Amino acid sequence: GFLFVPAVEVKIEVVIPEKERSKEEMSPNGKASPLIYKVNGTARHYHLEEHPMASNPYHIPKDVVEASVCHVKDLENGQMREVDLGCGKALLIKEGGEFHAVGHKCPHYGAPLVKGVLSKGRVRCPWHGACFNIGTGDIEDFPGLDSLPRFQVKIEKEKVYIRASKQALQTQRRTKMMAKCISLSNYNLSSTNVLIIGAGAAGLVCAETLRQEGFSDRIVVCTMDRHLPYDRPKLSKSMDSHPEQIALRPKEFFRAYDIEVLTEMPVAAVDIKNKTAVFKDGFKMEYNKLLVATGNTPKALSCKGKEVENVFNIRTPEDANRVVKLATSKNVVIVGASFLGMEVAAYLAERAHSVSLVELEEVPFKKFFGERVGRAVMKMFESNRVKFYMQTEVSELREQEGKLKEVVLKSGKVLRADVCVVGVGAVPATGFLKQSGINIDSKGFIVVNKMMQTNIPGVFAAGDAVTFPLALRNNKKVNVPHWQMAHMHGRIAALNMLAHGMEISTVPYLWTAMFGKSIRYAGHGEGFDDVVIQGDLDELKFVAFYTK
C-alpha cells in the first residue's frame, strides 16, 4: 500500500471491468409529499413520487454554449487542461489522438480533476480517488454518487470547439439514467422485491445501481437512523454539520426514483426460510432479494462510571453537534487515537480549552502507518496543543451532579473533563443475524464471496460488516471498513442481484484530514516489516511504502 500527502503525486491505476452502457441524464421534476400508511397501528413513512418526465435530450439552443478552446496542437496525448467556456469550465482531455470533454470538478467534494491522474481512458480524482470514464463521464470507482457531465467536442480548421449545456457546466454533475417503478398500486405493503437493511453508502449505492440498471420493481431501504442517508465520515471531520448539509441525496431524489426509505426502523431478525425480515416493532416484511449493509456499532468503555452524562460515541449528526457545543472553551478528553479520535481532536483543538487524548499504544496509528509516520503525526498534534497520554487507559469516569467532571487513568493521572469522546473501535452490527443461518465469522463479520453473496441464495451483504476476498491479497478474506469500499460493495451487490456475474477487484483507499493536512492510503497493508519513506517526514511531505 502507499501512503501519501498532497505535495506528492502517486499514480495508482485500478482497472475495473465495467459492462457499462453510456446513459443519458434524467431530471427528477415534480414533488409529492411522502405517503403515510398505517400498519399495525404505527405510522410508516414511504417516500414515493409520481413519475417525472425524462428531460428532452434535444436542448433548446439558448441553453447551449459553444466555444473555441484551443488549437489541436496545444495538447499532447495524455494531457488534460481546464478550459473556460464563458459561463463555466470543462476538462479537455487528449488521449490516443482523440479529444474528450467532461466536467472539471469531482462531484464528490469538488476537487479539480485537472490535478488528478489520467490513464487508460480514466481520470482519477486527486483528493479521494474517485474514478471517471473520459468517454462517458461515468463514475467507475468511488467515493461519490454522481457521474461527470460529458460535452461534445468538434474540430474545425485545427481548432477545438466544445459544445455544452449551461446547466451541465454550472452543476458539474450528472445523475445516471434511472428506471421508474412499475406502479405503486400493485404493492402489497408487507412485501418488497429488494429489501436493503442499512442506509449508509453501501445500501444507497445498491439501490441507485438497481435503478440505473433498469430494475423497476419495489426497493425498500430501512435504517435505525432518524435521517435519510448521510455522509457519516464528515461527522468527525466537520462536527457542526447539520443533517441537511451532509445528506447524500435530497428527499426529492428518493421520491423521484421510488426508493422507499423507512427511518428509525431497526430489523430484529431475518427468517431466511420464509424470506422475511422482522422489525423491532413486530412488523414483518417479505423480500425476494436481501442486502445486509448494517455497518458497525462503536465499542463502549467498560470502566467504572461509564453511564455518566456527556460521554459520547460520534454516531449521528446530533452527537457531533452536541460535542462541539459542550467542548467549546471547555476540557475535552478523547479515548482512543483511532481515525475518529484523531479527527475529533484536530477539529476541537482550536475550539476547546484543552484536548487530551488517551491511547493504549505508544504512538497513534502505529499498527496502521508504522511508528515513524505515527510519530510525525503525533508531533503535528502536539504543536497544535493536543496533549497525549499514551500506554494507558481509562479506569474511571467521575461525575459531579450527574455530569462528567474527571477522567481517571490507570496511570493514576486525573484529567479534568467536561466532555469525553470515545473512539476505541467498533464491532460489526450483525447480532440480529445470530440465529439466521447466514454465515458469520468468529469476529461477527458476514462472510461473502467476490460477488458479495452470502452462503444463502438471494442474500447479499456489503460494507463495514463484511469480510470479502481481496484480489490484491490473493483473495484472502479481509474486512475493509472504508467509505470508498462500501460504495463499491453496494454496486457489485446490485449488479449480482441482477445476475451480471460481476466480481469485486477494486483497490482499498482511505483518507483522513487533520489540521489542513490530508493523509491518503491505498492498498491493504496488513502486517508489514519495513516502511520505506521518500520525502520529508518532519515537513509532512512524504510517501511511505509499506513492504513485506
Side-chain angles (χ1 to χ4, degrees), residues 34 54 90 134 155 163 174 190-191 219 229 236 281 309 320 354 403 532 540:
I134 62 173
I155 290 159
R163 187 176 178 181
R174 172 175 66 88
S190 57
S191 79
I219 300 174
S236 49
D281 65 1
E309 242 183 275
S354 72
K403 290 190 167 46
V532 180
L540 294 174

Side-chain angles (χ1 to χ4, degrees), residues 14-303:
V14 186
V15 181
I16 300 153
E18 231 4 68
K19 303 191 187 85
E20 270 289 20
R21 302 167 290 299
S22 155
K23 293 175 184 131
E24 284 306 318
E25 191 166 359
M26 184 187 256
S27 80
N29 53 21
K31 304 202 191 323
S33 60
L35 308 179
I36 298 179
Y37 294 118
K38 281 284 216 225
V39 187
N40 314 352
T42 34
R44 281 174 211 295
H45 291 259
Y46 285 92
H47 298 287
L48 307 171
E49 162 87 337
E50 303 85 292
H51 299 194
M53 303 297 294
S55 59
N56 176 3
Y58 305 103
H59 284 291
I60 317 120
K62 71 167 192 280
D63 178 44
V64 171
V65 10
E66 189 172 288
S68 147
V69 289
C70 69
H71 191 277
V72 281
K73 294 209 170 64
D74 289 348
L75 253 67
E76 301 285 326
N77 270 328
Q79 267 195 325
M80 302 190 282
R81 177 184 286 192
E82 220 175 69
V83 292
D84 202 331
L85 277 74
C87 63
K89 294 180 178 174
L91 182 69
L92 181 65
I93 299 166
K94 186 177 183 184
E95 203 177 55
E98 279 187 45
F99 285 91
H100 302 273
V102 291
H104 71 109
K105 272 188 194 163
C106 178
H108 176 227
Y109 284 174
L113 292 173
V114 71
K115 296 195 163 139
V117 174
L118 172 67
S119 169
K120 300 178 188 162
R122 293 193 175 93
V123 58
R124 194 173 278 278
C125 169
W127 290 357
H128 306 124
C131 189
F132 303 92
N133 182 308
I134 62 173
T136 62
D138 282 354
I139 186 165
E140 293 187 356
D141 195 358
F142 300 95
L145 297 166
D146 290 312
S147 296
L148 299 174
R150 189 180 125 219
F151 308 124
Q152 277 178 299
V153 181
K154 63 172 197 191
I155 290 159
E156 258 172 36
K157 301 189 177 131
E158 303 285 288
K159 275 208 169 99
V160 180
Y161 291 85
I162 294 179
R163 187 176 178 181
S165 90
K166 289 179 187 169
Q167 195 201 349
L169 279 173
Q170 271 139 26
T171 54
Q172 288 290 319
R173 59 183 61 221
R174 172 175 66 88
T175 306
K176 282 200 204 173
M177 175 86 166
M178 296 214 200
K180 304 299 304 158
C181 258
I182 300 160
S183 155
L184 303 178
S185 55
N186 315 342
Y187 282 160
N188 167 357
L189 207 54
S190 57
S191 79
T192 181
N193 199 319
V194 174
L195 176 62
I196 296 171
I197 308 176
L204 177 59
V205 171
C206 178
E208 288 202 19
T209 303
L210 287 169
R211 288 281 181 253
Q212 287 163 8
E213 294 295 317
F215 180 80
S216 59
D217 214 323
R218 189 175 189 195
I219 300 174
V220 174
V221 181
C222 61
T223 171
M224 57 200 293
D225 240 300
R226 336 182 350 194
H227 305 291
L228 290 173
Y230 59 88
D231 187 343
R232 190 169 267 142
K234 268 215 171 136
L235 293 181
S236 49
K237 294 180 177 84
S238 56
M239 298 179 68
D240 45 15
S241 306
H242 293 290
E244 295 69 54
Q245 294 170 313
I246 58 173
L248 292 172
R249 292 294 195 196
K251 232 197 314 303
E252 299 74 51
F253 180 92
F254 295 95
R255 294 181 198 154
Y257 298 117
D258 297 312
I259 295 167
E260 299 166 50
V261 183
L262 309 184
T263 52
E264 296 182 272
M265 284 289 287
V267 171
V270 172
D271 171 353
I272 58 167
K273 253 217 306 292
N274 298 307
K275 292 187 140 188
T276 302
V278 184
F279 290 84
K280 237 190 195 109
D281 65 1
F283 178 59
K284 292 188 167 99
M285 186 173 265
E286 286 180 31
Y287 60 81
N288 177 18
K289 298 263 193 309
L290 177 69
L291 176 74
V292 181
T294 43
N296 54 33
T297 309
K299 284 184 193 159
L301 290 180
S302 53
C303 62

